[in-house]
Amino acid sequence: MVAAIVVDKNKVVCVTAEPKKDGTYTTVAEASAPFNGLIRSEALHQSGLGHAIEEAVTSACGASVRRLKEVYVGVPGKYTYVESRETPYGENADYRMEDDGERADEDRLLHRVEYKSILDGSKGISFIRCDEEFMEEVERALRQMGLNVTAYISQNYAEGIFIIPKIERDNVAIMLNVGYYYTNISVFTGDAQIYQGTLMVGGLHLVRDLSMVLELDMEYAEQLKRQFVFGIEYDPQAIDYIRMADGRLWGFEHGLVDEVIVSRLDEMIELIRGALWDIAEITYDHSKSYFIGSGVSDMRGAKEYIGAKLETRFENLPLFMVDGTSRYSISAMAVLDYAMTNLTRAAEGDALSKLMGIFRKK
């Protein structure tokens, strides 16, 4: 049995699966545990990440924790960074980082992918690295359960490979991921992610503003956010209701709720617009854009509102992501799918190469 562990919205999610002999896999279970550590500025080991990982894995696996043979861990965008650079010494050069005196730190390197730019035909290599603090905290938690990390996978990279059709990645594709704590902007070409930018704003900021302005606890502000719909004209006297802990309904003037949410989201959109302007040189007018993210996914019309403000048309996501047939975390499934279809295949290839090497020696 294998497991994929990710940070999704304000929780840690663990999905387990059983690999099949034909190279496919069957998803078995999913469980989650609350994780609010990204709100605070404290050190990661104080955030509760380790405890959330233990709880999620234990809940997903039950008594079969010891049956876990492989554990893949998704690394959130906040803890990864992307570096892409052109291949030196001509397009046929065998490029390695050691060539220019900058030896790669393999303990931090997650992905190394070659690509060719459709803009000018230049070749390059993309490197995605991980913050060591995140890796140390994950490994500390899993060691206590007798488990080891098989591989770390960038969540943004896995999500892009998962949802963007290859034909679009063969050009240049942009993925906007408006999360709960922060927003990531990623650029893909081929199988390489060549850019990642992180903005420290997300769906949580809408909730915080509602909580402060309306003097509400965060859980009630979440209710108001979830029931908000963009693009609908309301009666000026309309009231939005939330249900209190004792079952009573409590009303708030819709105009005020609208003002708080829209003003904050417009501010976020301006930050996104600036980030997209900064990367205009590595994209082009016909680049396809894709929108995901748990930060505003529960707000109807948010994607359309953001797209209209950015003057961008977001492409349709795979059907299983929008028709309600998938009950699993998209981030977890992306990491699991990447591990099963890419890393497993690579490992099998290495094993075959070693075996052929033995025969050649004989």
Side-chain angles (χ1 to χ4, degrees), residues 209-282:
D209 286 357
L210 287 171
S211 176
M212 292 175 58
V213 174
L214 303 178
E215 298 182 347
L216 278 173
D217 289 342
M218 293 282 283
E219 62 180 298
Y220 299 125
E222 276 279 6
Q223 285 188 39
L224 286 173
K225 170 179 167 284
R226 284 198 301 268
Q227 69 187 37
F228 191 85
V229 181
F230 288 92
I232 293 182
E233 293 291 334
Y234 284 87
D235 185 286
Q237 306 302 317
I239 301 296
D240 291 342
Y241 292 95
I242 60 172
R243 188 169 295 278
M244 309 300 287
D246 60 5
R248 290 182 301 118
L249 291 176
W250 197 266
F252 295 89
E253 182 184 336
H254 174 80
L256 181 56
V257 175
D258 180 278
E259 182 180 353
V260 171
I261 289 179
V262 171
S263 60
R264 169 59 84 172
L265 188 57
D266 283 349
E267 180 182 333
M268 292 168 56
I269 290 170
E270 286 307 307
L271 293 173
I272 294 169
R273 189 195 309 278
L276 292 174
W277 177 260
D278 289 341
I279 61 173
E281 63 181 21
I282 61 173

Side-chain angles (χ1 to χ4, degrees), residues 59-127:
S59 299
C61 300
S64 60
V65 170
R66 298 299 176 185
R67 287 184 53 221
L68 279 180
K69 301 299 182 184
E70 298 176 2
V71 179
Y72 298 95
V73 178
V75 186
K78 181 179 180 181
Y79 299 104
T80 62
Y81 55 98
V82 176
E83 176 189 7
S84 61
R85 49 173 85 173
E86 290 186 6
T87 304
Y89 320 126
E91 69 172 28
N92 295 319
D94 180 15
Y95 177 60
R96 293 179 176 82
M97 289 191 74
E98 295 92 329
D99 290 341
D100 57 8
E102 298 182 35
R103 186 175 183 83
D105 183 349
E106 294 298 334
D107 290 336
R108 298 175 56 135
L109 184 63
L110 303 186
H111 308 281
R112 179 185 186 278
V113 185
E114 298 181 7
Y115 67 91
K116 182 176 181 179
S117 171
I118 70 162
L119 298 179
D120 57 11
S122 62
K123 291 187 176 181
I125 298 182
S126 168
F127 303 91

Side-chain angles (χ1 to χ4, degrees), residues 279-290:
I279 61 173
E281 63 181 21
I282 61 173
T283 61
Y284 66 113
D285 292 342
H286 302 294
S287 295
K288 298 293 181 65
S289 298
Y290 293 81

Side-chain angles (χ1 to χ4, degrees), residues 346-360:
E348 291 172 351
D350 289 343
L352 180 60
S353 297
K354 291 179 181 178
L355 182 61
M356 295 303 293
I358 294 174
F359 285 123
R360 280 194 293 269

Side-chain angles (χ1 to χ4, degrees), residues 8 41 56 77 98 108 114 160 188 199 227 250 325 361-362:
D8 188 1
S41 59
E98 295 92 329
R108 298 175 56 135
E114 298 181 7
F188 293 83
L199 304 173
Q227 69 187 37
W250 197 266
T325 59
K361 289 179 182 177
K362 290 183 177 180

